[in-house]
Amino acid sequence: MKHTLNSQSSDMAGLYTLSLRMVIGWTYFSAFWRRLILENKLIPDEKGYIGEKFNHFLPNALGIKPVIEYLVTHPDVLQRSMMIFTIIEAIVGLFIILGLFTRLMSIGIFSLALGILLGSGWLGTTCLDEWQIGVLGVAGGFVMFLTGSGPYSLDHYFKKNNKKFTQKKWFQWLGSGNFPVSDPKGFVLAGSLIILGLTLFTNQYFHGGVWGTLHNKSVKPKLEISKISHQHSKLTFEVYRTEGADVYGSFLIGIHILDKNGKILKELDHKELAGIPKEDIQNHHVAKVKPGKHSLVIPLGAKADVTLNIDDIFQKNDIHSLKLIDVSGIEWIEKID
């Protein structure tokens, strides 16, 4: 009798989370649907390539930056990883919708959401978009691990039609049914507090959302200039875009080479930047710095060595600093060591 009541209780818990299961399942399955069925976004150098979106995560990722940097600097590995990642999302999302091996798949949901949170929790131009998706996915995965699936699931179908198979301990851990812990209150409390701690920590780390001054790194573009050197007729520098909206690039419309008094020794306008030869731009990542129609375009996460011709500067020893000018009016100046 007690087993029957426990079974009914577990079924009702799974029933109450049906909408959560369906929505979260589609959230992850739709990634596969968008990238391969509606449009192929797994082709490098094609518009919308998912690897370039992944590159956008790099500048301010938390804890997993070395993994992202390795992938975006090894395009072949990145493409394979994006394909595997997309297949995993499809399997996890579909199985969650169908309610098959729900607890195992909920661990997949938890892990995928944690990856989103750590990689892109700092992104979101008007709202804390990616952070919210990440923390809610982590919490949703934990809840589905606790409840399993209810009556409208394949787990429930197999429980009804193959009780010898589904009453085994391993199925309770990987599928659905009675939660296989005699008194789960401590487990639930500990897990919930850990997730709350993760939520507060990442909210503060990425956005200053718990105390202090709020900040949003997705609003204004930020460029880092380094490794400036010049010899003979060439000046080379490294540019790296670390902040700003991920949906469009920083549009560089001016470069000034200055002396120590701020006098312009050489000026390149938007037309000249749009005409920089591609061989003078050596990209490090899959997100590429490239000449656009009216500017030099620098996507989020892009890093490149740019070479300029300075043959027309006669007093090269007077070169002191480099200024980059964005179409928004933001300027970045770096002294040449």
Side-chain angles (χ1 to χ4, degrees):
M1 183 69 173
K2 184 178 179 180
H3 174 75
T4 302
L5 290 173
N6 286 341
S7 179
Q8 290 175 345
S9 177
S10 68
D11 283 347
M12 292 306 294
L15 176 63
Y16 293 150
T17 58
L18 178 62
S19 62
L20 180 67
R21 201 185 88 214
M22 295 293 185
V23 171
I24 290 182
W26 174 252
T27 299
Y28 287 91
F29 182 77
S30 67
F32 159 80
W33 193 258
R34 293 192 313 272
R35 291 176 205 156
L36 279 177
I37 307 302
L38 300 182
E39 189 177 345
N40 194 337
K41 295 186 177 182
L42 293 173
I43 303 175
D45 298 323
E46 291 283 333
K47 186 178 179 180
Y49 174 47
I50 189 63
E52 187 168 339
K53 173 70 176 177
F54 188 69
N55 197 157
H56 296 162
F57 300 168
L58 175 61
N60 297 290
L62 173 61
I64 59 173
K65 187 181 290 189
V67 176
I68 298 175
E69 187 158 23
Y70 176 81
L71 291 174
V72 299
T73 53
H74 295 79
D76 292 342
V77 180
L78 175 63
Q79 186 188 19
R80 288 196 296 271
S81 299
M82 292 298 97
M83 292 175 68
I84 293 169
F85 185 71
T86 299
I87 291 169
I88 290 173
E89 285 185 303
I91 293 171
V92 168
L94 182 62
F95 277 36
I96 282 290
I97 292 171
L98 297 175
L100 179 61
F101 292 113
T102 305
R103 288 196 170 111
L104 177 61
M105 294 302 113
S106 71
I107 295 172
I109 293 290
F110 184 98
S111 303
L112 291 168
L114 184 62
I116 291 170
L117 175 63
L118 298 180
S120 61
W122 64 280
L123 287 168
T125 52
T126 59
C127 194
L128 311 186
D129 306 330
E130 302 292 342
W131 174 78
Q132 289 174 337
I133 292 170
V135 294
L136 290 173
V138 168
F142 182 64
V143 168
M144 287 188 292
F145 181 77
L146 296 173
T147 64
S149 295
Y152 304 112
S153 69
L154 290 180
D155 281 349
H156 185 266
Y157 173 82
F158 291 132
K159 279 197 306 177
K160 282 184 64 177
N161 293 279
N162 196 335
K163 293 184 179 180
K164 183 179 179 181
F165 173 75
T166 57
Q167 285 178 358
K168 295 180 184 280
K169 198 77 170 178
W170 67 264
F171 184 82
Q172 292 179 345
W173 277 111
L174 302 183
S176 297
N178 300 331
F179 190 68
V181 173
S182 56
D183 186 3
K185 291 195 292 290
F187 180 86
V188 174
L189 178 62
S192 300
L193 290 177
I194 290 170
I195 292 171
L196 175 62
L198 176 69
T199 299
L200 296 177
F201 171 72
T202 52
N203 192 203
Q204 177 62 28
Y205 180 86
F206 289 131
H207 306 287
V210 181
W211 70 82
T213 304
L214 283 168
H215 56 266
N216 189 339
K217 295 180 179 180
S218 297
V219 177
K220 296 179 181 179
K222 179 181 177 182
L223 302 182
E224 295 180 358
I225 311 166
S226 61
K227 300 179 182 178
I228 308 172
S229 64
H230 64 90
Q231 47 184 303
H232 307 301
S233 62
K234 302 292 183 183
L235 182 145
T236 301
F237 65 95
E238 182 181 271
V239 61
Y240 179 30
R241 171 137 174 251
T242 58
E243 294 182 14
D246 56 327
V247 292
Y248 55 84
S250 169
F251 303 103
L252 215 60
I253 59 168
I255 294 181
H256 295 173
I257 300 173
L258 309 172
D259 68 10
K260 64 180 180 180
N261 297 315
K263 179 183 175 182
I264 299 175
L265 300 174
K266 182 179 177 68
E267 177 181 358
L268 286 82
D269 64 17
H270 68 282
K271 292 181 180 179
E272 292 169 298
L273 291 174
I276 289 182
K278 291 184 178 180
E279 58 267 23
D280 288 343
I281 304 173
Q282 301 298 319
N283 282 287
H284 297 212
H285 301 157
V286 292
K288 292 178 172 58
V289 177
K290 56 189 176 184
K293 190 173 182 180
H294 302 292
S295 64
L296 186 65
V297 182
I298 308 177
L300 180 60
K303 181 189 287 187
D305 298 321
V306 180
T307 300
L308 305 176
N309 189 314
I310 57 170
D311 208 24
D312 51 348
I313 299 179
F314 300 110
Q315 295 177 312
K316 295 182 174 57
N317 290 334
D318 290 344
I319 295 175
H320 180 265
S321 56
L322 184 69
K323 179 195 287 188
L324 307 184
I325 305 167
D326 186 73
V327 69
S328 64
I330 300 174
E331 300 179 351
W332 301 274
I333 300 177
E334 186 68 25
K335 180 181 175 183
I336 300 174
D337 296 327

